[in-house]
Amino acid sequence: MKRNLNPIISAIAVSCLLSFTGCTKDFDKINTNPVTNSSEKFNPNFVLSSAQLNYTGSFDMAYDAFRSNFSLAGPIVQALANCTQEWRGDKYLIFEEHTAAYWGTGAVGSYIEQVRNIVDVVENTRGKEQYKNLHQIARIWRVVVLSRITDLYGDVPASEAGLGYYQKLYLPKYDKQQDIYNTMLSELDEAVNALQASGDIVTGDIIYKGDIEKWKRFTNSFMLRLAMRLVKVDEAKAKTYAQKAIANTFTSNADNAFVKHDVNGARITQNRNSQVLLGDVGSQDYYYGKWSNTFIDYLKKTNDPRLGKIAVTKLHISLSNKDQNPNFVTDPLVQKGMPNGKQVDAANGDAFDIRKDPSFTDYPDYSSPNPNMSKRDGITFILTYAQTELLRAEAAKRWAIGGTAGEHYNKGVGAAISCLSQYDSKLTISDAEINDYLTKMPYNDANGLKMINEQYWAHTNTLFDFYESWNNWKRSGFPVLVPVKHPDNSTGGVIPRRYPYPITEASNNPDHYKAASAAVTGGDSYIGRVWWDK
């Protein structure tokens, strides 16, 4: 299904600019001025559009997409590698501007660009008959937004976030992550049952264009993801909600949730991933941003047909410009991942100089993401059928519910491979190739959890959703990653497991911040753990 931003670009631009100029910093401002986007002055459908679009990354030059998703999460989970200091996650370096980027400031980030907007929609549609479906979809999207924030940081402002204007809550409390999860699961369950095909058409929905049946399948699929997060801390609840969800999850790649970007709105509506990978935010991004050797070696080991589609060499030939070589090489035999934890000089000795690594020949010889995956008018995936089927495989493996693990594994892996064509038809892999791969790499129940979650990691890497790759790795322990031991690392050589709270919270919201910071298992640091990460 084609979902185009053209009809709403102007509205999104206005909404984004209002968000940008309507507050200067901090939670009191973030919570005080959403009236500029209220339904009295602005159709709440368009505010939904803005909240959905900004979930793909900040409109301000991919602020959080670069600093948080690509620079930190991607290398931490060894999907990406980068030999510059700017990509901090590659070497486990603490840098406040990056670890705090997803949380954001009073101008950019998830709270100001996503939470405030979606809370506006929820509040401005409450009890209004003409917006019944919009209200439920806004409740669902609020869960989507908050789930990523809490998975990255732990206890966070949730129940009171964005309510400054409505309830004069200017210093929102940090809810316990366990309470946040209980609320999110309940909210999804209520909202999906309240959606009505005969109700209002949600015109501002840039994902499904108001298709209620697709929203029902999306909600159940997302409920399954949240349920599976809890397998180590509350298995009974995980199983209960997994059973609720699997009755109506995604049925094919046609259900995949993604945003189709548009170049006409400039950076506001363009693909945030493209802004990073095309070098809009710095030369080190387009030239040194490579697939990690951990990921490429995994694909090579199994002769995965994705290798010849998602990876290319010789993409950038010159360091002096951002031009892409149109004759880049897709041959899977020559793909080569960059090792993590390297640098471009010998400041820490030959062991960390990429030029001294046995794999080094020249920078263009390391594999880059295929540019057809990051077109400015391309797509950003939110949730996929393949993810859902792999999670169903795990639920079947753990609890023998909803079919067999092997059945869902095959569907999940097949969909993960075939959905690449949604980026561009040039990335299409035939059914015959997929079937051949599955025949040669059959599901083995004895190693079921390992196989399922390694495939989940590979799939979310190809979606550029490194947040989800990292979160599911924390939850499952797969793939087994060898930590980077760079001498400048901030973790003692331990793979990071969460982002520390922004230090600005110590002055902006001191009492609530102090309590939350003190409560983090393992300390408020890179190696502290969120509640479900056991």
Side-chain angles (χ1 to χ4, degrees):
M1 176 186 295
K2 185 177 181 182
R3 303 144 194 154
N4 202 296
L5 291 177
N6 267 326
I8 55 171
I9 285 174
S10 297
I12 290 176
V14 171
S15 175
C16 288
L17 290 173
L18 286 170
S19 294
F20 186 81
T21 60
C23 57
T24 56
K25 68 171 186 173
D26 312 334
F27 262 120
D28 58 336
K29 298 292 194 258
I30 291 171
N31 283 284
T32 299
N33 197 29
V35 70
T36 53
N37 282 344
S38 73
S39 59
E40 287 76 19
K41 294 186 178 182
F42 205 64
N43 186 326
N45 274 285
F46 291 128
V47 188
L48 172 67
S49 305
S50 189
Q52 290 177 331
L53 177 60
N54 290 339
Y55 183 77
T56 70
S58 173
F59 77 91
D60 186 22
M61 199 60 76
Y63 180 86
D64 54 345
F66 163 55
R67 290 165 177 80
S68 187
N69 190 34
F70 280 86
S71 167
L72 293 182
I76 285 172
V77 77
Q78 296 179 23
L80 300 175
N82 189 294
C83 53
T84 71
Q85 291 289 94
E86 189 66 18
W87 287 46
R88 315 289 170 157
D90 190 78
K91 301 158 189 67
Y92 312 159
L93 308 178
I94 281 285
F95 185 53
E96 165 74 7
E97 183 180 301
H98 286 203
T99 56
Y102 196 77
W103 187 292
T105 68
V108 294
S110 59
Y111 275 104
I112 190 67
E113 295 183 85
Q114 299 176 45
V115 175
R116 192 182 70 167
N117 280 346
I118 202 60
V119 169
D120 285 352
V121 183
V122 171
E123 295 302 314
N124 284 318
T125 57
R126 191 183 301 277
K128 295 181 179 178
E129 188 69 21
Q130 71 272 31
Y131 293 132
K132 287 177 67 174
N133 280 335
L134 176 58
H135 180 70
Q136 302 307 328
I137 289 175
R139 293 175 69 194
I140 294 162
W141 199 254
R142 183 176 179 274
V143 169
V144 173
V145 166
L146 289 173
S147 66
R148 182 183 281 171
I149 301 172
T150 189
D151 284 346
L152 293 177
Y153 293 96
D155 298 351
V156 296
S159 62
E160 296 180 355
L163 290 173
Y165 172 74
Y166 301 99
Q167 298 183 21
K168 303 195 184 306
L169 294 168
Y170 305 123
L171 298 175
K173 68 179 180 180
Y174 285 53
D175 296 275
K176 294 291 185 183
Q177 188 177 52
Q178 182 175 4
D179 295 335
I180 295 172
Y181 260 79
N182 289 339
T183 299
M184 290 192 302
L185 288 166
S186 176
E187 191 95 341
L188 292 179
D189 195 21
E190 290 178 13
V192 73
N193 289 312
L195 288 170
Q196 298 178 0
S198 60
D200 55 298
I201 298 174
V202 183
T203 59
D205 171 22
I206 62 176
I207 296 174
Y208 291 129
K209 293 192 174 181
D211 187 322
I212 296 303
E213 290 308 310
K214 285 188 181 292
W215 271 107
K216 288 181 178 180
R217 291 195 287 274
F218 173 91
T219 306
N220 282 301
S221 298
F222 203 83
M223 184 190 298
L224 177 62
R225 176 196 282 188
L226 296 188
M228 298 307 290
R229 286 277 202 269
L230 308 185
V231 292
K232 294 181 180 176
V233 289
D234 193 342
E235 186 173 7
K237 177 161 285 187
K239 182 179 178 181
T240 294
Y241 275 94
Q243 286 179 309
K244 281 179 180 283
I246 60 176
N248 188 26
T249 54
F250 287 161
T251 59
S252 73
N253 281 333
D255 289 332
N256 286 350
F258 56 78
V259 171
K260 174 71 170 69
H261 295 276
D262 197 295
V263 296
N264 293 318
R267 74 185 193 190
I268 292 177
T269 57
Q270 287 177 8
N271 187 349
R272 278 70 164 137
N273 298 333
S274 73
Q275 293 177 29
V276 176
L277 294 173
L278 293 177
D280 293 351
V281 294
S283 62
Q284 71 282 347
D285 308 304
Y286 76 88
Y287 196 85
Y288 293 112
K290 305 291 184 179
W291 288 122
S292 166
N293 66 337
T294 304
F295 181 40
I296 294 298
D297 289 351
Y298 171 81
L299 298 178
K300 280 188 170 183
K301 181 177 64 177
T302 59
N303 292 314
D304 195 305
R306 284 172 286 194
L307 181 58
K309 299 295 183 180
I310 60 98
V312 304
T313 62
K314 310 290 187 183
L315 182 61
H316 294 102
I317 304 301
S318 172
L319 277 170
S320 64
N321 61 65
K322 300 178 182 181
D323 295 341
Q324 292 185 344
N325 172 22
N327 298 313
F328 55 77
V329 180
T330 60
D331 182 356
L333 296 178
V334 302
Q335 301 307 318
K336 177 172 65 175
M338 177 178 281
N340 291 99
K342 301 295 183 178
Q343 57 197 53
V344 294
D345 54 40
N348 284 298
D350 288 354
F352 300 98
D353 186 344
I354 187 64
R355 299 166 300 178
K356 302 295 183 179
D357 190 84
S359 69
F360 186 81
T361 48
D362 199 1
Y363 292 111
D365 296 334
Y366 287 114
S367 297
S368 302
N370 190 312
N372 289 304
M373 301 168 68
S374 56
K375 299 179 294 186
R376 292 195 189 278
D377 64 348
I379 65 174
T380 299
F381 284 102
I382 308 298
L383 185 67
T384 67
Y385 170 59
Q387 289 174 291
T388 304
E389 283 298 310
L390 289 169
L391 291 174
R392 289 194 62 169
E394 182 171 339
K397 165 70 176 171
R398 289 181 179 275
W399 306 308
I401 60 174
T404 68
E407 166 196 357
H408 291 297
Y409 176 86
N410 286 339
K411 288 181 179 179
V413 175
I417 296 171
S418 62
C419 82
L420 294 176
S421 64
Q422 292 181 321
Y423 280 123
D424 190 286
S425 60
K426 297 184 185 70
L427 304 183
T428 300
I429 297 172
S430 71
D431 290 344
E433 291 176 278
I434 295 171
N435 291 334
D436 181 62
Y437 174 72
L438 290 171
T439 299
K440 292 177 179 177
M441 297 296 299
Y443 175 75
N444 178 357
D445 198 60
N447 296 317
L449 293 180
K450 177 178 183 290
M451 293 184 70
I452 291 164
N453 286 289
E454 285 181 346
Q455 287 287 349
Y456 194 96
W457 169 77
H459 176 50
T460 49
N461 290 348
T462 68
L463 302 181
F464 296 135
D465 189 353
F466 307 117
Y467 300 124
E468 185 59 17
S469 296
W470 187 30
N471 285 327
N472 197 67
W473 170 80
K474 290 185 288 185
R475 179 191 73 85
S476 70
F478 296 111
V480 176
L481 301 176
V482 178
V484 167
K485 300 292 185 181
H486 192 275
D488 296 334
N489 82 83
S490 304
T491 68
V494 175
I495 299 175
R497 303 192 78 91
R498 66 179 286 274
Y499 295 153
Y501 294 123
I503 58 176
T504 53
E505 284 291 280
S507 56
N508 295 342
N509 194 1
D511 292 338
H512 292 132
Y513 158 78
K514 187 180 299 183
S517 179
V520 178
T521 301
D524 182 14
S525 69
Y526 248 164
I527 58 175
R529 294 189 180 225
V530 302
W531 164 70
W532 53 255
D533 179 16
K534 300 296 184 183

